[in-house]
Amino acid sequence: MQLTLTRPDDWHLHLRDGPVLADVVPHSARQCGRAIIMPNLKPPVVSTHQALDYRERILAAVPAGVDFTPLMTLYLTDNLSPEEIRTAAASGHVYAVKLYPAGATTHSDAGVTDIQHTLPTLEAMAEAGLPLLVHGEVTDPDIDIFDREAVFIERHLEPLVRRLPELKLVLEHITTRQGIEFVQGSGPNVAGTLTAHHLLYNRNAMLVGGIRPHYYCLPVLKRESHREALITAATSGSPKFFLGTDSAPHPQHAKESACGCAGLYTAHAAIEFYAEAFEQANALDKLEGFASHHGADFYGLPRNTDTITLVREPWTVPESYPLADAKVIPLRAGGEIAWRLQL
Ligand SMILES: NC(=O)N[C@@H](CC(=O)O)C(=O)O
Ligand SMILES: [Zn+2]
Ligand SMILES: [Zn+2]
């Protein structure tokens, strides 16, 4: 069996920086035409100038003969100015701004402490048509980690959408039924990305039979009823939902630790994982819209014109991939994947 689709794009990707680029960029570049590159470097990408420099370093790691366009983003802080938004939009290479609540996830210390502080900047974004990408979790220590997405929507996103109804907004890596309902209940300028791992796994994968750090990410995997809501949305054909892997490489030692980092590495087989999830839901006919059309349409970019082909031919994922002088343990390490990308 074979499946040919318009080349997908990844609307949420972490590539990191420095020598690891040479190891991780080729994985995404062989599948995706474009990717929205997350700005949570250390220090974060907070200016157009930094984003353009980072873009050059990514391009230098794209293998010869491969066409891959990094779509850069800025990291929203309490201090990002409306002027910088206009510069970013005019650069032609910055496509969105990322909101991390301070302390919510990996490298988010510089994040926003109060969305109210950023309103003039968000207004400039609405004017420029630059989307706000949201890591939607509260950081309030009183809120249970499994409830942090739902509470963020109620406390912050719903008021924000009421305050700035014209702002384009993407709720990233949705993990709950409440996240899906928020996107469905909002206007056409509000969309959501879904990761392959949240479509394939519930929290048992992380916690049954031992604690499995390579399934730990933020927002954390949720219970099965939430996963089912994500699958229903992804396979619904709604243009509001599209592919964003959130592939987030961490060195093996940083994850296999008493305090392991959040993030799953899925870029080595992203489209194959999504194909598996859609096949399980009997909805392979909906994969192309989700992976290759809806995101480009939302961002107002042309769809890719070339195609990829997946063949139903199982292969075994390596136990690890190199990550500069360390290793990254990919999702499904040592296990089988049903679909293979034909090169
Ligand atoms: N998803 C994760 O668990 N981690 C991401 C950050 C993020 O997307 O929140 C990372 O940068 O490692
Ligand atoms: Zn995030
Ligand atoms: Zn992410």
Side-chain angles (χ1 to χ4, degrees):
M1 193 155 94
Q2 277 202 350
L3 192 64
T4 295
L5 22 140
T6 305
R7 182 175 295 282
D9 300 303
D10 185 348
W11 301 98
H12 182 136
L13 178 64
H14 300 270
L15 293 175
R16 315 305 189 198
D17 202 357
V20 305
L21 287 175
D23 294 316
V24 301
V25 170
H27 280 156
S28 293
R30 66 195 269 277
Q31 328 206 309
C32 302
R34 296 164 289 199
I36 284 277
I37 310 301
M38 289 295 134
N40 63 330
L41 303 181
K42 260 192 143 149
V45 180
V46 292
S47 72
T48 306
H49 180 78
Q50 283 174 304
L52 296 183
D53 284 352
Y54 181 30
R55 180 176 180 274
E56 292 304 321
R57 296 193 294 277
I58 295 167
L59 286 174
V62 176
V66 175
D67 193 9
F68 174 73
T69 307
L71 309 174
M72 308 312 292
T73 62
L74 297 187
Y75 186 111
L76 185 63
T77 68
D78 291 354
N79 303 318
L80 185 69
S81 68
E83 290 70 42
E84 191 60 41
I85 294 300
R86 291 186 271 277
T87 307
S91 76
H93 294 302
V94 176
Y95 286 85
V97 176
K98 182 67 192 270
L99 163 61
Y100 290 102
T105 185
T106 304
H107 303 165
S108 63
D109 311 346
V112 170
T113 59
D114 182 346
I115 295 180
Q116 295 303 321
H117 297 159
T118 65
L119 278 178
T121 306
L122 298 181
E123 279 161 7
M125 286 167 54
E127 237 162 75
L130 219 52
L132 178 69
L133 315 182
V134 182
H135 180 109
E137 288 193 290
V138 290
T139 54
D140 183 339
D142 292 339
I143 303 297
D144 188 277
I145 188 148
F146 289 100
D147 297 332
R148 289 183 173 194
E149 182 172 288
V151 173
F152 185 88
I153 291 167
E154 211 176 277
R155 285 193 191 166
H156 301 293
L157 276 190
E158 284 169 353
L160 177 62
V161 168
R162 275 197 299 274
R163 176 78 171 68
L164 283 174
E166 65 288 9
L167 180 67
K168 274 183 144 180
L169 188 148
V170 185
L171 181 55
E172 299 290 324
H173 45 43
I174 299 176
T175 62
T176 58
R177 179 177 51 77
Q178 289 90 338
I180 297 296
E181 286 169 358
F182 165 74
V183 170
Q184 284 169 337
S186 305
N189 55 321
V190 174
T193 55
L194 296 164
T195 76
H197 47 284
H198 290 103
L199 292 175
L200 286 169
Y201 299 104
N202 63 37
R203 61 196 192 182
N204 282 9
M206 180 178 60
L207 294 170
V208 171
I211 185 154
R212 298 173 194 275
H214 297 293
Y215 288 87
Y216 174 63
C217 62
L218 288 169
V220 72
L221 292 172
K222 302 297 191 299
R223 63 167 62 242
E224 177 63 9
S225 56
H226 290 294
R227 190 190 71 86
E228 285 164 3
L230 308 187
I231 286 283
T232 303
T235 61
S236 67
S238 163
K240 285 172 151 288
F241 298 101
F242 41 85
L243 185 159
T245 62
D246 193 21
S247 179
H250 289 277
Q252 179 177 16
H253 58 82
K255 293 207 47 90
E256 296 175 12
S257 148
C259 184
C261 297
L264 264 67
Y265 190 67
T266 56
H268 61 297
I271 191 66
E272 296 92 325
F273 284 128
Y274 283 103
E276 196 173 292
F278 277 64
E279 185 179 34
Q280 281 170 14
N282 228 333
L284 277 174
D285 60 318
K286 296 293 196 304
L287 180 62
E288 186 179 38
F290 174 84
S292 316
H293 296 164
H294 301 164
D297 296 352
F298 179 84
Y299 276 83
L301 294 170
R303 296 175 180 179
N304 292 324
T305 50
D306 59 338
T307 60
I308 60 160
T309 296
L310 289 164
V311 284
R312 212 172 184 303
E313 191 179 282
W315 59 287
T316 303
V317 177
E319 296 287 350
S320 68
Y321 288 105
L323 191 68
D325 52 6
K327 288 176 182 172
V328 61
I329 308 299
L331 181 61
R332 202 64 68 75
E336 227 174 55
I337 301 191
W339 292 89
R340 176 199 290 277
L341 181 67
Q342 204 172 56
L343 288 180

